Amino acid sequence: MASRADQLASNLSLAKFSQATDLKKRLWFTLGALIVFRFLSFVPLPGIDPTALAAWSQKSAGGILDIFNTFSGGALSRASLITLGIMPYITASIVVQLAASLSPQLAAIKKEGESGRKKLNQYTRYGTVGLTAVQGYAAAANWQAQGVVVDPGMLFAVSAIISLIGGTMFLLWLGEQITSRGIGNGTSLIIMAGIVAQLPVTLSNLFKSGSEGSISGLVIFLVVVLGFGLIAFICFMERAQRRVLIQYPKRQTRQGLMQADRSHLPLKVNTAGVIPPIFASSLLLLPLTISQFMGVKADDDSRWSSIVLTINQYLSHGSPFYMGLYGLGIVFFCFFYTAVVFNPEETADNLKRNGGFIPGIRPGKNTENYLDYVLTRITVIGAAYLAFICLVPEFAIARAGIPFYLGGTSLLIVVNVTVDTVTQIQSHLLAHQYGDLIKKAKLKGRLR
């Protein structure tokens, strides 16, 4: 028989939304913060020539710059204050998280609870400032080398670095405000807003190519169907999990009965999330990015330029070598990052400490081996799923000549953030419905 909570969850309707005042305030705050983010993406850095910048953006299409431009909502192509977006913080947080799993000192800090979490967050902020300064200097040097700066020199470089650091740290603060006062994870919503903001331009380019005859109508139809199919498949796989039954010893209740507690340890099929595609694509596109920043040209006869250009030719989008390395990179980072974020030994020790055990498995080392065995098997499925989601759009873009870059990583981020945000909205509506029931119960109690 369904519980009262299950009945409430199934009977949720949008009619209750108008009564949830706190939820509406949170949604309006989130919407306002995302509008501020979009406004900042159109505020240019001082000293940039917009005409020369537009010409250079068209020439530098492809490579990791397109990925950053997608995640920043087009801010990179406009050289705005938030050109680097929130990606330096994401990189710094990943590095700190990996270091906390590999370094005994940072692992001890992580086990300190709330105080340890604050220390690691502070280290992440320091790393964000450092990465933003390095990437800001590289971006300023590249803009000067490409001739898009009105008055190049050290003054422009310093002002650009300071402006970019301020823009990134403001986005970090804005994301924290969304998390605490809005709905959903602020950092993830900012990244999703940047990706979604590029969709109108992407779709307009697609249909424009169809009207001009460069892409057939059948290809456009198949692209739309493929997109909806991948979204549905991502929704299914991201919620898939392997529930390991956990048994706790019998405890005496108030009525004197002996009752055994049961729970489940959920192991997600995709434990690594979107980290493997980001790492794999970044490594593969690194040579192309270096050649763009160094100004390596096809008519250059130097030996170094010929080597870089050869590597770029093999690692171009859609080439078999690139697709193979991309798939292998996703599989490798999926297993690597899953091993970092989930520790079977620590989980087995926690279960043993709390008196829990897996039926048929001895506590301790046997439980650790069993969890490692189960996690390895479901990670195989998760790695295959990530490779499929990321390689199918790459293959379609390369073979059909689609004039935009919208990879599987972007789809993963958009779908995951949307599902999490909708889940939080449903939780707020459910809590509001529970509050109404409690008020009615108190009122009936007083009347009696």
Side-chain angles (χ1 to χ4, degrees), residues 3-25:
S3 64
R4 182 62 179 169
D6 295 334
Q7 295 176 4
L8 282 174
S10 61
N11 293 329
L12 283 177
S13 63
L14 294 178
K16 295 293 182 180
F17 177 77
S18 60
Q19 303 175 5
T21 307
D22 181 67
L23 177 60
K24 289 192 292 184
K25 290 181 179 179

Side-chain angles (χ1 to χ4, degrees), residues 29 33 86 89 117 121-122 124-125 169-182 184-188 190:
F29 180 85
I86 206 75
Y89 171 74
R117 187 183 65 84
N121 286 340
Q122 196 68 21
T124 305
R125 295 174 189 273
M169 297 310 293
F170 177 80
L171 285 186
L172 178 57
W173 174 83
L174 191 66
E176 292 177 350
Q177 296 301 311
I178 294 175
T179 303
S180 60
R181 301 174 60 182
N185 183 277
T187 303
S188 301
I190 288 175

Side-chain angles (χ1 to χ4, degrees), residues 250-260:
K250 293 183 178 181
R251 294 182 176 88
Q252 188 171 3
T253 62
R254 292 182 179 179
Q255 291 78 15
L257 301 177
M258 302 297 290
Q259 183 177 2

